[in-house]
Amino acid sequence: MSGVEILVALAIAVGLVGVIVPVLPGSLLVLGAILVWSWELGTSTAWVVFAIATTFIAVGSIVKYVVPGRRLKDDGIPGSTLLLGGLLGIVGFFVIPVIGLPIGFGLGVYLAELRRVGSGAAWPATAHALKAVGLSLLIELVASLLAAATWAVGVVLT
């Protein structure tokens, strides 16, 4: 393994952690590392690997919004609730580094639903929203892992 491949592997590992811990743009870091590797090698195999990895990341990026969004719509949770959750998630990210994003999001969704439907139905709606966020995270992680596995196969082939 060359020095570039070791650095790319480390960047991919950091990107995978970034998918789970929302501090870094994980998928983009994985894709960027694979781009550096492809650029460095410059072979057609390396560029095919990059194209496949890009496809995995792009499809994952689309699906991670579509599938959970549809589930939330089916559960009757409006976009305004998610907007408030997102805004408080951003505030929480800066107030409590790393873990503040999910805490702020959950609190924002709960408060919006508390105002909209009352205390009896606020918690179930919040649980649905948090499950949707977890599903979105899982979809992005699978897409990033598939891109990383594609790169690993490419390293073996080159």
Side-chain angles (χ1 to χ4, degrees):
M1 229 176 165
S2 72
V4 170
E5 289 172 341
I6 291 170
L7 290 175
V8 167
L10 288 173
I12 288 172
V14 170
L16 292 173
V17 170
V19 170
I20 298 167
V21 180
V23 176
L24 302 169
S27 296
L28 293 178
L29 189 54
V30 169
L31 191 59
I34 296 170
L35 173 62
V36 167
W37 175 80
S38 298
W39 188 276
E40 180 68 28
L41 257 59
T43 65
S44 59
T45 303
W47 288 112
V48 168
V49 165
F50 177 70
I52 294 169
T54 300
T55 302
F56 282 133
I57 298 292
V59 169
S61 294
I62 293 167
V63 171
K64 82 175 187 175
Y65 291 112
V66 171
V67 172
R70 185 172 296 141
R71 289 181 114 178
L72 289 172
K73 188 176 181 180
D74 291 345
D75 291 334
I77 299 172
S80 60
T81 295
L82 299 177
L83 178 64
L84 183 60
L87 290 174
L88 281 182
I90 291 169
V91 170
F93 178 77
F94 291 105
V95 173
I96 309 169
V98 181
I99 63 169
L101 181 65
I103 292 171
F105 177 78
L107 180 63
V109 169
Y110 180 76
L111 291 174
E113 288 298 291
L114 183 64
R115 185 191 68 192
R116 188 174 76 87
V117 296
S119 62
W123 178 245
T126 303
H128 286 299
L130 292 175
K131 287 177 189 175
V133 169
L135 178 60
S136 177
L137 182 87
L138 181 63
I139 291 167
E140 184 179 3
L141 180 61
V142 168
S144 296
L145 285 170
L146 288 171
T150 302
W151 173 77
V153 169
V155 168
V156 170
L157 293 176
T158 57

